[in-house]
Amino acid sequence: MKKGFKKIMAYFCAIALIVTSVTVYNNKSVSAYEDSEYTALTNGKGAAVGDWSELFAGTYDGLAGNMSYAGSKLDDLSLKIDESCGKPGTWHLQAKTKLTGLTAGKTYDIKTKLNSSMAGILYEKTDVTGVVNSNIEIKVGENETTLQFKATGETETLVFELSGMPTGCVIDFKGITTTEATEIVTTTEQQPEEDGYYASIKGQWTLTSPWSAFSTGSIKYKGTADSNSATVDIKFAEYGGGDWQTQLRVLGSTNTVGPLEAGKDYKVKVDYTASKAFDGLVKVGEKAENVKFAEGTNSLEISYKAETEKPDIYLNLGYAPADEELNIKLTLVKVEDIQTSVDPTSNNVTSADVTSPDATSADVT
């Protein structure tokens, strides 16, 4: 009896050792860095680190994002995800690096090697040209991703989006190479359906212009854009899926909206008609504004200081209910171009942009 008991205990001890060794492998073999060697990023504030132009972690819109790093090279950067919302495509955790020495008009392949301690979903995109490789399935251990883009200038920024990787995950970047493409991958722009609307592709960005869409649910949309405005009609066949799980965008790289004057103040007028009320977000450039879309026809204004001539425009519509129908138009007007309007039949100034005259000025009548 004692011998049998000892054999059973020895068996369970062996199993425990195997499990322990696997756990150690998953947590520690990916990175050569000790926990004490990681530096925590300041939440909501990007940091330039060595070869990486920006590492960013932010908690906002009710979704968590905290991250630490060790190393600073393209082939030696370790990222420890301290807290993740687990929702890919929400951009709460990012790593950016600049690609240089490019030639405008040429097509390039980017290959990235990385090791991961846990499985999850990664996005990567080129910031200027707006090419997105979404829903990349990252497995435990070694991984390689590829992205092809056509350069529009000598530099480009490559962005990795890590919000779809779980809390506790350690990712080690082992190298990024950019080479001129020997084989061009051709893509066919998506065609509209008979009613003129485009259908979303579950979990992927659509290949449409000027508006494109991403949704984990099901939507149909059609839209237009010109130098100072963008309009889109959206029909939701089902719930939007939650924060950032349904998005629509007009990328600055489409050269549709703009050019704006960088550094100037603008008013973004948002005119919309919604069949049901819900919470959303409008983002122009780096300015994000939470919006409560009310039922019916309404309008609102957002103040925006242009950072670039051609900003990206995003709509976060993840909280739209099923069967929602939304028509929205965004118009950008430079503040200094807004003229005071006066009703000729009265002495009332109707513009909200007029300031009271300076009482010390000789021009006061």
Side-chain angles (χ1 to χ4, degrees):
M1 182 69 179
K2 288 183 178 180
K3 286 184 179 180
F5 178 75
K6 287 181 179 179
K7 285 182 179 180
I8 292 171
M9 289 302 296
Y11 173 78
F12 280 110
C13 286
I15 293 295
L17 285 171
I18 292 171
V19 171
T20 302
S21 66
V22 170
T23 302
V24 171
Y25 172 81
N26 285 342
N27 290 338
K28 300 299 296 181
S29 70
V30 167
S31 177
Y33 291 98
E34 298 295 329
D35 288 345
S36 60
E37 297 179 90
Y38 285 84
T39 300
L41 292 167
T42 301
N43 194 279
K45 188 175 182 179
V49 178
D51 294 339
W52 297 83
S53 55
E54 184 181 9
L55 302 179
F56 174 84
T59 297
Y60 51 90
D61 299 333
L63 299 177
N66 284 291
M67 188 164 64
S68 303
Y69 69 91
S72 61
K73 303 294 185 183
L74 291 183
D75 59 357
D76 182 24
L77 176 74
S78 183
L79 297 176
K80 184 169 63 172
I81 299 177
D82 301 313
E83 192 175 14
S84 170
C85 65
K87 294 186 176 182
T90 53
W91 305 96
H92 289 255
L93 301 169
Q94 302 179 37
K96 300 182 181 181
T97 186
K98 287 192 177 297
L99 310 176
T100 59
L102 308 175
T103 301
K106 288 189 175 182
T107 300
Y108 294 88
D109 288 326
I110 307 170
K111 289 189 177 181
T112 303
K113 292 184 178 180
L114 58 90
N115 293 347
S116 178
S117 67
M118 302 171 74
I121 299 295
L122 179 77
Y123 278 36
E124 61 179 339
K125 76 167 185 175
T126 53
D127 220 16
V128 177
T129 51
V131 178
V132 181
N133 190 2
S134 60
N135 290 313
I136 304 168
E137 294 186 4
I138 299 298
K139 65 181 187 297
V140 174
E142 297 179 355
N143 295 267
E144 183 174 277
T145 69
T146 59
L147 182 68
Q148 187 174 99
F149 74 101
K150 188 174 183 178
T152 57
E154 295 181 355
T155 62
E156 176 60 275
T157 299
L158 178 63
V159 187
F160 296 94
E161 201 284 310
L162 308 167
S163 302
M165 302 302 294
T167 298
C169 179
V170 175
I171 296 176
D172 266 24
F173 285 90
K174 294 299 184 182
I176 299 173
T177 58
T178 305
T179 56
E180 190 173 344
T182 56
E183 184 177 344
I184 308 299
V185 178
T186 58
T187 56
T188 303
E189 185 162 312
Q190 188 174 335
Q191 298 301 308
E193 298 183 350
E194 290 184 3
D195 58 3
Y197 283 78
Y198 294 98
S200 63
I201 305 170
K202 191 176 288 289
Q204 297 183 38
W205 281 101
T206 55
L207 297 172
T208 59
S209 184
W211 287 93
S212 56
F214 170 90
S215 182
T216 57
S218 177
I219 67 169
K220 294 174 68 174
Y221 66 97
K222 63 179 179 180
T224 60
D226 56 32
S227 61
N228 72 329
S229 66
T231 303
V232 64
D233 294 314
I234 313 125
K235 296 180 179 180
F236 291 78
E238 55 187 81
Y239 170 59
D243 200 32
W244 289 104
Q245 297 306 293
T246 292
Q247 308 174 41
L248 287 97
R249 68 185 183 188
V250 176
L251 292 174
S253 57
T254 61
N255 294 316
T256 308
V257 178
L260 308 182
E261 288 189 51
K264 295 289 186 179
D265 291 319
Y266 284 78
K267 290 289 186 183
V268 183
K269 187 178 182 184
V270 182
D271 297 300
Y272 69 90
T273 300
S275 62
K276 300 177 183 179
F278 70 97
D279 292 340
L281 180 141
V282 176
K283 185 178 181 184
V284 181
E286 295 302 316
K287 178 63 179 290
E289 189 85 6
N290 290 313
V291 174
K292 290 186 177 295
F293 290 108
E295 183 179 336
T297 299
N298 300 277
S299 65
L300 56 95
E301 282 190 350
I302 299 171
S303 296
Y304 167 63
K305 183 181 287 292
E307 314 100 343
T308 181
E309 290 185 350
K310 297 182 181 295
D312 295 337
I313 297 173
Y314 279 83
L315 302 177
N316 173 10
L317 306 176
Y319 292 114
D323 300 321
E324 172 71 71
E325 292 191 15
L326 177 69
N327 169 271
I328 184 168
K329 179 178 182 179
L330 293 87
T331 306
L332 290 82
V333 182
K334 191 163 55 175
V335 170
E336 63 188 46
D337 289 342
I338 300 175
Q339 300 296 321
T340 302
S341 62
V342 179
D343 185 344
T345 63
S346 73
N347 293 322
N348 296 325
V349 178
T350 60
S351 172
D353 295 296
V354 178
T355 56
S356 300
D358 184 354
T360 63
S361 171
D363 295 326
V364 176
T365 58

